[in-house]
Amino acid sequence: MRRVPPPQPHWKPGATITSLVAEMVSLNAAALDVRDTYKLMTGGIIPRPIAFVSTLNENGSVNLAPFSYFNAVSSAPPTIMFAVTYKSDGSKKDTLLNIERSREFVVNSVSEWMAAPMNHCSAEYPHGVSELEKVGLHSVASEIVSPPRVQESPFHMECKLHSTVEIGSAGPGSSTIIIGEIVKFHIAKAAYQDGVIKPEELKPLSRLGGISYGTVGEMFDLERPKIES
């Protein structure tokens, strides 16, 4: 990952830009089936950060699963959200069941060096199986919540459940939005300086469409504009 100059460094408000967009294809959402809609959303809403969520099964084993419908919500209180879709048979995934029961979870970031084990955690292992152990990752104890953190991840957020929102009819394509309040942050020392996280140290992995993932090769800074009255 390296820093480069921003695009259009000499652009001024009102100036014309050159766009690569020519013709558009328009699709009525109501006419699409679930699979086609999924392909459009995951292919067009990119890149997406990945929430690597650790929870505890009722037998005490660690459930670990990646979710790319994930983002920040607010900073006061510090809150994040991610969406858990239902299984193809309409049943709930273990992550959702565990959070509904315990009201606790940890969101771990995903870095380039975690790509292979993270991907294997997306397989539908039998209920109660610890994906953490199956893929060879290691746990480290959380300080406030019960579910452990992932040792190999450089950024962890211990969370308590704030609320859930049901979207859809609980069938294929429907989901439950999980909103969690962050109660403890953990950042790799190399990635933390003067209260700011250094993205080049996190080497974040992002989700694209289909089976594709992306890394951050270049980054640039843009100052927030100030409008003069």
Side-chain angles (χ1 to χ4, degrees):
M1 183 185 298
R2 62 190 182 92
R3 289 187 179 273
V4 298
Q8 304 98 36
H10 305 298
W11 179 89
K12 300 294 183 183
T16 301
I17 63 170
T18 300
S19 170
L20 298 179
V21 178
E23 298 182 48
M24 302 290 290
V25 175
S26 300
L27 304 171
N28 189 332
L32 300 173
D33 62 23
V34 171
R35 189 62 185 170
D36 288 337
T37 300
Y38 174 82
K39 289 179 181 179
L40 290 177
M41 293 181 65
T42 56
I45 305 173
I46 56 172
R48 299 189 307 282
I50 303 168
F52 207 19
V53 182
S54 49
T55 59
L56 287 178
N57 297 314
E58 66 270 23
N59 64 0
S61 61
V62 181
N63 180 270
L64 186 61
F67 299 91
S68 65
Y69 284 3
F70 161 57
N71 223 308
V73 175
S74 69
S75 53
T79 312
I80 54 91
M81 63 74 60
F82 69 99
V84 182
T85 57
Y86 285 81
K87 293 182 180 181
S88 57
D89 62 3
S91 62
K92 294 180 178 181
K93 293 183 178 179
D94 290 349
T95 298
L96 178 56
L97 292 171
N98 291 340
I99 293 175
E100 288 179 333
R101 186 185 65 257
S102 71
R103 302 184 67 83
E104 295 181 335
F105 59 95
V106 177
V107 173
N108 307 274
S109 67
V110 177
S111 298
E112 295 176 16
W113 57 81
M114 301 167 60
M118 176 278 300
N119 182 50
H120 275 270
C121 283
S122 66
E124 289 195 13
Y125 287 96
H127 179 69
V129 168
S130 174
E131 290 85 353
L132 186 80
E133 295 179 4
K134 286 290 185 181
V135 303
L137 293 173
H138 302 87
S139 66
V140 57
S142 296
E143 296 182 10
I144 296 179
V145 302
S146 296
R149 299 173 280 138
V150 177
Q151 181 177 311
E152 289 80 2
S153 169
F155 182 54
H156 317 141
M157 293 174 284
E158 296 184 34
C159 299
K160 289 184 177 290
L161 180 64
H162 176 281
S163 55
T164 60
V165 180
E166 298 292 333
I167 304 295
S169 58
S174 298
S175 68
T176 298
I177 297 175
I178 295 175
I179 303 172
E181 182 172 345
I182 304 165
V183 295
K184 192 86 173 187
F185 292 96
H186 303 270
I187 310 103
K189 189 173 183 179
Y192 186 70
Q193 183 176 9
D194 300 326
V196 177
I197 291 179
K198 300 162 66 176
E200 60 270 26
E201 295 294 335
L202 295 187
K203 297 189 181 300
L205 195 68
S206 65
R207 190 76 165 87
L208 305 175
I211 59 173
S212 299
Y213 291 81
T215 58
V216 180
E218 297 178 340
M219 55 186 289
F220 56 85
D221 298 333
L222 288 175
E223 294 288 343
R224 184 68 61 91
K226 297 180 180 179
I227 306 301
E228 298 181 0
S229 58

